[in-house]
Amino acid sequence: MFKKSLFSFLTLIIISIFQGNAQDKFLKEWTEKGFIESENYYSELPFRYIDGYIFIDIIQNGNHYNFLFDTGAETTIIDKSILNQFSFEPFAESNITGPIIKNQDVKTIILSNIQLAGVMFSEIGAVSIDMEFSKERFCKDLHGIIGSNLMKKSKWQIDYKNQVIKFSNDISKFHLDNPKYILKTRLSSKGFGTETVDIKINGEVIPFGFDTGNGARKIVANPSNFKKLIKKSKSVEYGFPKTDKDYHIIPEKLFIGGIEFSNQMVTFENKVGKSQLLGNKFYENFLVTIDWENHLLYLDPQGEIKQDEFYGFPLEFRANYKTNKIEIYTGIREFLKKNKIENGTILAKVNGVNISNLSDKDFCEFWDISWNKIKTAKTINLTIAKDGKEKEIVVSKNKFVS
C-alpha cells in the first residue's frame, strides 16, 4: 500500500534517526519547535484533490512546488532537489536504507521559514530526503509534505467540496455552526506525533491514525492483528494467489469516535504494515475542522455520507507514473486465482485500445479523465500482460456477497 510503503515508512525513519542519537524527549522538542510570525491571522489555501490525496502549492523564491498535505506525517518533508531554495539550519544526519529508499543520506533540519498562503511559519523542524520514489505514484513531481508538526501551530479547516483549506489562530473565524459530529483525538504516550481516533468495529476498539495522507482506503489496518474480528464478520478475500490474504468487511456495528456510522467499508491489508489509518475517503464526506490544541475534530456532512457495499469490479487498478502502466493492484482472490492473474500484471489494452505506449502527458490524461469514464460502465474488456504474454479477460460489476 502506497501510504505505508512511502510516507509511514518515512515516519519510522525519522524516529529511528533520533532513537539512535537521542531520547524521545529530544525528538519531542524538535517536532514541537516553531511558531507563526503573525499573532492574528486568517488565510485560505486552494488545493487539488487527486486520487484521494490533497496537494497544495508552496511558493518559494517565485517558484511553485507541489506538496502533499498530510496529517499522518509526523514531520514536514522537503525534497533534496529544492532544499537550497530554503533557509535552514542543519540538525542531524543519518544514512538509511529500506525496501523503498536505497542507501541515502537523510538530513533533519530547522527551516528558518516556509510560507503558506501569505502566512509565515518559522523555525519548523523538517526532514530533507530524495523523493524520487514518489514519481511512481503521482503524475506531477512531489517536492515535499506538509506534516502535522507544522500544522499543530494553527487551527485548520478542510473543505473537500470547494477544495480549499482555511487556517487561523482563532477557530471562531471558521464560523462553526453546531457541527454534527465531534471526534476526540489523542496522542500516543510519547506525547508527540500523529493523532489517533478510536474506532469500534463489531465491539472491538482500535486506535486509527488521523491521516489525510492516506488516499487509497477509507479505513485500513493489517489483518494479522484482527483475525478473530475478521472471522466473526462477513468478508471478501482479496490478494494474489500464494500471498497473504487481505479482506474487505462492512461491520454490522461501526463507531468512529463514539459515533455510529453505517455501511462503511473496512479494509484489512497486509501492505499497510503496522499502520491503522482513517483516511480521506472517509473525511471527504465532511467539512473537517481541526483543533490540534484541544485534540478535537469537527465534522459537518457535505451532502449525504456515501454508503459502501460489496459491489463493483473484481479487480483493483493503480497507475504507475514511472512506467506509464496501469497495474492490477489487487483483486478478489477467487477471481485472481481462476483467471491465473499474478502480481506484476498490467493492462495492455482497454476496450480494444492499446495503452501500453502512452507518453507521460497522455498517460496522465488517460488515467485522470478516460479511465474514470470507463469505470462507470458495467463491463470492461481488458487485455492483460505479464512477462510479454497477453490474455483477454472481461470484468463486470457484481455483488461480492449475497
Side-chain angles (χ1 to χ4, degrees):
M1 184 180 185
F2 178 69
K3 174 65 185 180
K4 180 266 174 182
S5 59
L6 299 187
F7 300 126
S8 290
F9 184 66
L10 285 178
T11 298
L12 294 175
I13 291 168
I14 296 160
I15 293 172
S16 66
I17 290 170
F18 281 93
Q19 284 180 340
N21 299 325
Q23 302 299 316
D24 279 350
K25 182 181 177 182
F26 194 55
L27 177 54
K28 184 174 185 290
E29 291 175 357
W30 177 73
T31 57
E32 290 181 348
K33 286 185 71 69
F35 60 93
I36 294 175
E37 298 283 352
S38 303
E39 292 184 4
N40 186 26
Y41 62 91
Y42 168 87
S43 194
E44 296 187 2
L45 181 65
F47 68 85
R48 300 173 296 281
Y49 193 53
I50 304 171
D51 275 356
Y53 296 95
I54 297 174
F55 298 97
I56 62 173
D57 282 338
I58 298 295
I59 302 173
Q60 185 73 13
N61 297 332
N63 299 312
H64 289 246
Y65 296 112
N66 186 39
F67 274 60
L68 188 75
F69 187 82
D70 185 359
T71 59
E74 291 197 335
T75 186
T76 294
I77 297 171
I78 309 287
D79 183 55
K80 289 173 74 171
S81 69
I82 68 166
L83 181 59
N84 288 334
Q85 295 292 321
F86 296 84
S87 175
F88 66 92
E89 292 292 332
F91 197 77
E93 188 166 344
S94 180
N95 182 271
I96 54 90
T97 187
I100 299 296
I101 303 169
K102 304 294 184 183
N103 294 318
Q104 65 162 285
D105 293 332
V106 176
K107 292 181 179 179
T108 51
I109 61 174
I110 302 295
L111 281 174
S112 297
N113 53 68
I114 182 170
Q115 185 171 279
L116 277 70
V119 177
M120 192 68 72
F121 293 74
S122 299
E123 305 299 319
I124 301 296
V127 167
S128 176
I129 196 168
D130 185 349
M131 299 189 70
E132 173 73 20
F133 56 84
S134 68
K135 291 184 177 181
E136 179 180 315
R137 187 61 185 89
F138 302 127
C139 177
K140 189 176 180 181
D141 286 350
L142 190 65
H143 299 110
I145 302 168
I146 298 299
S148 63
N149 70 316
L150 180 148
M151 295 183 206
K152 289 183 179 183
K153 310 299 183 276
S154 187
K155 309 288 195 295
W156 302 81
Q157 187 176 79
I158 308 172
D159 185 343
Y160 289 87
K161 184 178 179 180
N162 296 302
Q163 295 191 17
V164 63
I165 296 169
K166 303 172 184 178
F167 60 104
S168 176
N169 63 295
D170 185 353
I171 202 168
S172 69
K173 294 181 180 180
F174 300 145
H175 304 294
L176 287 173
D177 296 323
N178 298 316
K180 186 170 183 179
Y181 305 118
I182 302 176
L183 308 185
K184 184 73 177 175
T185 67
R186 56 189 171 90
L187 284 167
S188 70
S189 58
K190 297 180 300 185
F192 63 88
T194 57
E195 309 230 350
T196 61
V197 175
D198 282 344
I199 299 182
K200 183 186 283 188
I201 304 174
N202 290 345
E204 186 170 341
V205 179
I206 309 160
F208 277 72
F210 166 42
D211 191 2
T212 62
N214 169 29
R217 302 294 189 196
K218 182 178 286 185
I219 307 168
V220 62
N222 192 302
S224 62
N225 301 323
F226 305 102
K227 292 179 180 178
K228 290 183 180 178
L229 174 61
I230 294 167
K231 191 174 182 180
K232 291 188 294 183
S233 306
K234 187 178 289 187
S235 64
V236 178
E237 291 184 3
Y238 275 69
F240 293 100
K242 300 179 181 179
T243 64
D244 292 332
K245 293 179 181 179
D246 299 326
Y247 303 87
H248 289 189
I249 73 169
I250 299 178
E252 291 181 11
K253 296 285 186 180
L254 178 70
F255 292 83
I256 300 175
I259 301 162
E260 186 170 10
F261 291 89
S262 60
N263 298 319
Q264 299 297 301
M265 185 79 71
V266 179
T267 303
F268 292 97
E269 189 168 76
N270 288 277
K271 291 180 183 178
V272 78
K274 295 181 180 179
S275 302
Q276 294 161 187
L277 309 173
L278 180 63
N280 280 328
K281 297 294 185 182
F282 173 75
Y283 300 118
E284 68 184 11
N285 295 290
F286 305 94
L287 177 68
V288 178
T289 304
I290 311 166
D291 184 346
W292 295 102
E293 184 179 5
N294 295 301
H295 307 285
L296 294 173
L297 286 181
Y298 299 92
L299 306 182
D300 255 338
Q302 293 185 308
E304 187 177 347
I305 299 173
K306 182 183 176 183
Q307 305 286 295
D308 296 325
E309 57 181 332
F310 289 117
Y311 176 82
F313 292 114
L315 298 178
E316 293 185 14
F317 310 89
R318 72 175 178 186
N320 185 324
Y321 292 100
K322 197 166 186 177
T323 62
N324 287 348
K325 307 295 182 188
I326 296 178
E327 302 170 342
I328 296 178
Y329 174 67
T330 188
I332 294 177
R333 198 172 182 90
E334 183 180 359
F335 184 89
L336 291 169
K337 185 176 180 180
K338 179 180 177 180
N339 289 276
K340 298 180 180 179
I341 300 173
E342 300 177 354
N343 193 13
T345 301
I346 62 169
L347 304 190
K349 295 179 183 178
V350 178
N351 291 334
V353 177
N354 191 328
I355 61 165
S356 58
N357 295 298
L358 296 177
S359 66
D360 290 350
K361 180 176 181 292
D362 289 343
F363 182 75
C364 288
E365 289 180 354
F366 180 85
W367 180 257
D368 291 340
I369 301 171
S370 302
W371 182 249
N372 283 326
K373 292 179 180 177
I374 289 167
K375 289 191 301 181
T376 63
K378 188 170 184 345
T379 299
I380 308 176
N381 297 306
L382 300 174
T383 301
I384 62 175
K386 174 80 162 60
D387 298 330
K389 297 180 181 179
E390 295 187 353
K391 178 169 64 174
E392 294 185 359
I393 63 170
V394 176
V395 292
S396 301
K397 290 179 180 176
N398 285 297
K399 279 191 173 183
F400 307 150
V401 176
S402 58

